[in-house]
Amino acid sequence: VQLQASGGGLVQAGGSLRLSCAASGRILSGYAVGWFRQSPGKQREFVAAIRWSVGTTSYARSVAGRFTISRDNTKTIVYLQMNSLETEDTAVYYCAAGLRMWPYREADFYGQGTQVTVSS
C-alpha cells in the first residue's frame, strides 16, 4: 500500500486546513485509513481513522468535534478536514493504513508526512 499525503501549510489559530491522502495498491476491505501526527520532542500520536469498507470513523479526544475524516471511494482518497485549529495542532501529519488501525490505532503502512503549522 502506498500513501501520498498533501495539503499541509501555515494557518492562523482558529483557521482551517484540509489534508488529503491518496492511497494506492492493494487496500483490503478490512483496512482502516487515517492520520497520525508528531510534534518535536513528542511521540507520534493517533489522530483519526475511517474504516474503508463501511465508513465508520474514530477520533482522538484532542481533535473530536474539530476534525472530520472522510473518504472518496472512487478515487481512493481520504480527507482530514481540520477546523478551529489550535497551536497545539502544529505537527507533521502522516497518512497511515492497515488492519490494525481499527480498533487498535496502530498502522501497518505510513506515507510521507506533511507539515501543519498553526500560528498564534
Side-chain angles (χ1 to χ4, degrees):
V1 174
Q2 292 77 47
L3 305 165
Q4 182 74 33
S6 61
L10 174 64
V11 64
Q12 286 190 328
S16 299
L17 278 176
R18 189 177 78 161
L19 304 183
S20 299
C21 173
S24 60
R26 189 182 180 200
I27 301 174
L28 302 179
S29 61
Y31 275 18
V33 181
W35 299 87
F36 286 73
R37 67 186 182 186
Q38 188 168 20
S39 305
K42 294 185 178 180
Q43 289 189 331
R44 189 174 297 185
E45 63 175 358
F46 171 82
V47 176
I50 185 167
R51 296 181 70 183
W52 196 257
S53 59
V54 295
T56 313
T57 58
S58 176
Y59 298 93
R61 289 183 180 180
S62 58
V63 306
R66 300 187 296 121
F67 291 11
T68 302
I69 190 169
S70 61
R71 76 192 192 293
D72 181 338
N73 281 359
T74 63
K75 299 181 181 178
T76 61
I77 296 177
V78 171
Y79 301 100
L80 185 68
Q81 178 66 43
M82 305 185 295
N83 298 329
S84 302
L85 282 161
E86 303 169 353
T87 55
E88 292 78 13
D89 296 317
T90 295
V92 177
Y93 284 70
Y94 296 90
C95 184
L99 291 172
R100 295 181 297 147
M101 283 282 287
W102 196 286
Y104 303 109
R105 300 182 172 182
E106 297 176 357
D108 298 307
F109 305 96
Y110 283 103
Q112 94 290 357
T114 185
Q115 177 71 46
V116 172
T117 302
V118 184
S119 63
S120 58

